[in-house]
Amino acid sequence: MSLALALFEPDIAQNAGTLARTSACLGIGLHIIEPAGFPVGDAGFRRAGMDYLDRAVIHRHASFAAFESWRAGENRRLVLCTTRAAIAYTGFDFSESDVLLLGRESAGVPESVHERADARVVIPLAAGTRSLNVAVAGAMILGEALRQTGGFPG
């Protein structure tokens, strides 16, 4: 079992496509929890994913409940990447069975999803700044999780 990346109702096709490309290049699965704010596979998604989309392993879940059913069956820990966490991602002990969940660009995740998370991590930011682009944040946290678990390909 390897790390997985999940996007909660993504708003922006280009960010989702970038994370699909990242997942393909790093050999991990990408889970898209719908509804998305764009048709999965639209031009922006394909453009950002470029020729790597054919290599990406993308799992689509019709709802958060469907995703949670899958996760329970796989016995995976849910690690929410959020600005509302107290633990820096560099100080968290990742496991190779973790699913890293990123929220919507416009609104994050609802409180009900926060409550379902087994852990929450944050990227510490400079004073006066609010957040990073979701694709950048996802890549940073995924990189640390792969470093800790020895999950980089090759």
Side-chain angles (χ1 to χ4, degrees):
M1 184 177 301
S2 66
L3 284 162
L5 190 60
L7 308 179
F8 180 85
E9 300 179 2
D11 290 324
I12 301 173
Q14 292 83 354
N15 286 337
T18 298
L19 288 166
R21 180 180 181 161
T22 301
S23 296
C25 289
L26 296 177
I28 66 158
L30 177 67
H31 296 259
I32 297 178
I33 302 164
E34 299 196 44
F38 55 90
V40 174
D42 89 345
F45 184 77
R46 287 191 310 276
R47 194 168 31 261
M50 297 183 67
D51 55 339
Y52 293 97
L53 279 184
D54 290 342
R55 298 188 67 165
V57 178
I58 299 174
H59 308 274
R60 293 171 68 180
H61 303 274
S63 65
F64 185 70
F67 169 78
E68 280 292 87
S69 178
W70 166 81
R71 189 174 70 87
E74 295 287 318
N75 196 30
R76 288 178 171 253
R77 183 171 65 168
L78 184 62
V79 180
L80 179 60
C81 306
T82 175
T83 59
R84 293 175 41 199
I87 301 170
Y89 77 105
T90 53
F92 183 74
D93 290 326
F94 290 96
S95 166
E96 61 186 25
S97 64
D98 286 344
V99 178
L100 309 179
L101 179 63
L102 300 165
R104 296 173 64 198
E105 293 89 347
S106 63
V109 299
E111 191 60 37
S112 60
V113 173
H114 264 273
E115 292 168 1
R116 298 290 305 173
D118 298 302
R120 291 165 202 80
V121 298
V122 65
I123 298 171
L125 300 175
T129 62
R130 189 178 68 246
S131 64
L132 293 169
N133 172 283
V134 71
V136 171
M140 287 177 65
I141 296 170
L142 177 60
E144 174 62 13
L146 288 168
R147 184 193 69 78
Q148 285 186 25
T149 62
F152 278 106

